[in-house]
Amino acid sequence: MLENVRRERRVRAIAFPQMTLVRPVVIDGVGLHSGSPVHMVLHPAEADRGVVFRRTDLVSQGREVSDIRATYDNVVNTMLSTEIGNAAGATVSTVEHLMSALSTLGIDNVLVEIDGSEVPVLDGSSEIFIDRIEAVGIEKLDAPRKAIRIVKPVVVEDGAKRAALLPGEGFRLAFEIDFDNPVIGRQSIEADLHDPFFAEDILRARTFCLRRDIEAMWAAGLAKGGSLDNAVVVDNDHVMNEDGLRYEDEFVRHKVLDAVGDLALSGMALIGRYEGSRAGHAMNNRVLRALMADPSAYEVVDFAEARPSAPMQRDLAIPAD
C-alpha cells in the first residue's frame, strides 16, 4: 500500500509520463491483404517496453520467434502497407493504422498479441482503434516520456516522390498527392498532431484504391480482404461506396494517417515537421532510416519540449491519481 502511494506521487511529479492501457483491448477482424480472420489483444505494458507485437500462433517456439518490436529498422516490406519482422522471419503487416492511433493518443508501451500475420483492417481507418482504446482508458507510468527532436533537415527523393523531416516545434505534417483521376486529382493538407481534433480530422480517413488496380493487386496476392466496408474505391469519375466520402479530401487525409503510423516506428514522439509529396510507406521508412542514421540530425529530449505551449491532444479516460 505504501509503495503504491509513493509510486503515485512519483508519477504526479513527472510532467509528461509514459503511457499504457488501463486494461486489455480485444479486436477481431480480417486482414486487408490476407483476407484471413484475425484475433488481436492489446495489453498494458511496462515503461520503456515500447510497442511489441507477439504472434500467438508462434509463441510455443519462443519469444525470439514470436515477438517483433515495432521499430523502423524492423520494417521488411512496404508494398501497399508497412510490414515488420524479426530475425527469425516472423512478420506482422499493415501495422500503420494501429500505430497511428497509438501515436495520436500518446501511448508508448503496449504488448499486441495477434494470432496471424496481419493487423485487422476494420473500417480502413484508425477510428475503431481510437474508440476501443479510449473506452478502456490510458494509464500513466512511473517514467518520463522522451522525444526525438529533429535539429537539421533530412530529405529523401525518388523521382517525383519526396519525404522530409525538418526542425520545428511540436509535430506538424504536410502532405500532397497527385493522382491521374478526376475524383482524387491533386490534394494537399497540413495538420498538427497535437491538435485536439487531429483524431476526428485525420484518423477517420479510410484507405483507398482505384477500381482499375484491384485485379493487379489480387494477382499479387494482395487486397484479398478488401471491400467497400473497409476501403474507398474510386471507379473513374465516381466513388463506389454507397455513403460516399467522409471528407472531400479524404484521400490525402489518409496519407497523413499512414505517415503518422509509419513515423511512430521511430519508437518515440517526434519534434519537428514532416513533409510528404507523392510519398508512401517506402518513402516514410526511408526518411526515418535516414534521420536515425545521422546522429547529428536529431537529439533525444524530454517530451515536455515537444509541446511548449500546446494542450493535451484529447480529453482521455485517464484514471485519477
Side-chain angles (χ1 to χ4, degrees), residues 187-255:
Q187 299 181 359
S188 62
I189 194 172
E190 183 161 337
D192 185 341
L193 182 62
H194 300 140
D195 188 305
F197 297 103
F198 185 87
E200 287 80 0
D201 291 343
I202 301 297
L203 297 195
R204 293 186 67 250
R206 297 161 293 174
T207 192
F208 63 92
C209 70
L210 301 177
R211 182 177 181 180
R212 69 187 184 214
D213 295 333
I214 292 178
E215 288 192 7
M217 288 191 286
W218 286 342
L222 301 170
K224 295 178 180 178
S227 73
L228 295 178
D229 292 327
N230 56 40
V232 176
V233 180
V234 179
D235 186 11
N236 295 321
D237 62 352
H238 70 281
V239 173
M240 297 182 63
N241 304 66
E242 184 177 348
D243 294 335
L245 298 174
R246 292 179 176 177
Y247 314 94
E248 184 177 348
D249 59 350
E250 185 168 0
F251 309 100
V252 72
R253 290 176 190 243
H254 186 79
K255 287 291 190 178

Side-chain angles (χ1 to χ4, degrees), residues 31-315:
L32 174 63
H33 295 299
S34 67
S36 301
V38 187
H39 177 70
M40 184 171 74
V41 184
L42 313 181
H43 292 275
E46 64 273 17
D48 299 318
R49 179 75 176 275
V51 179
V52 176
F53 285 79
R54 175 170 295 167
R55 288 279 303 272
T56 56
D57 54 323
L58 304 175
V59 75
S60 63
Q61 301 176 49
R63 290 187 182 179
E64 69 278 4
V65 174
S66 65
D67 285 12
I68 309 166
R69 287 184 58 81
T71 56
Y72 69 95
D73 51 345
N74 279 339
V75 172
V76 296
N77 189 8
T78 53
M79 178 64 72
L80 297 183
S81 73
T82 294
E83 182 176 8
I84 58 175
N86 62 21
T91 62
V92 176
S93 63
T94 320
V95 302
E96 59 273 12
H97 298 174
L98 173 59
M99 293 302 299
S100 188
L102 295 174
S103 178
T104 300
L105 293 174
I107 298 173
D108 308 282
N109 306 287
V110 179
L111 172 63
V112 183
E113 291 193 336
I114 184 168
D115 68 356
S117 61
E118 187 175 14
V119 172
V121 64
L122 304 179
D123 71 344
S125 77
S126 297
E127 182 177 28
I128 295 175
F129 293 125
I130 291 279
D131 290 346
R132 297 282 181 85
I133 292 169
E134 289 191 323
V136 305
I138 299 172
E139 183 177 22
K140 300 174 183 178
L141 295 171
D142 185 13
R145 195 175 196 218
K146 297 294 184 179
I148 296 170
R149 185 207 299 277
I150 301 161
V151 297
K152 75 176 188 182
V154 175
V155 182
V156 295
E157 296 180 322
D158 184 358
K161 301 175 182 178
R162 178 180 183 272
L165 288 170
L166 311 170
E169 291 190 359
F171 193 65
R172 296 188 65 84
L173 303 99
F175 213 107
E176 180 183 65
I177 61 174
D178 191 359
F179 279 71
D180 182 20
N181 175 271
V183 176
I184 305 175
R186 172 174 270 177
Q187 299 181 359
S188 62
I189 194 172
E190 183 161 337
D192 185 341
L193 182 62
H194 300 140
D195 188 305
F197 297 103
F198 185 87
E200 287 80 0
D201 291 343
I202 301 297
L203 297 195
R204 293 186 67 250
R206 297 161 293 174
T207 192
F208 63 92
C209 70
L210 301 177
R211 182 177 181 180
R212 69 187 184 214
D213 295 333
I214 292 178
E215 288 192 7
M217 288 191 286
W218 286 342
L222 301 170
K224 295 178 180 178
S227 73
L228 295 178
D229 292 327
N230 56 40
V232 176
V233 180
V234 179
D235 186 11
N236 295 321
D237 62 352
H238 70 281
V239 173
M240 297 182 63
N241 304 66
E242 184 177 348
D243 294 335
L245 298 174
R246 292 179 176 177
Y247 314 94
E248 184 177 348
D249 59 350
E250 185 168 0
F251 309 100
V252 72
R253 290 176 190 243
H254 186 79
K255 287 291 190 178
V256 172
L257 182 161
D258 280 345
V260 170
D262 290 339
L263 296 175
L265 297 175
S266 64
M268 299 183 201
L270 294 174
I271 305 174
R273 177 181 174 87
Y274 164 86
E275 294 180 354
S277 179
R278 304 185 185 187
H281 302 298
M283 294 294 286
N284 294 337
N285 186 246
R286 282 181 58 188
V287 75
L288 193 52
R289 285 177 182 265
L291 173 73
M292 303 307 290
D294 184 358
S296 70
Y298 70 92
E299 59 184 0
V300 176
V301 300
D302 288 337
F303 181 70
E305 299 184 42
R307 299 158 57 249
S309 60
M312 291 296 290
Q313 293 109 295
R314 294 164 66 81
D315 292 327

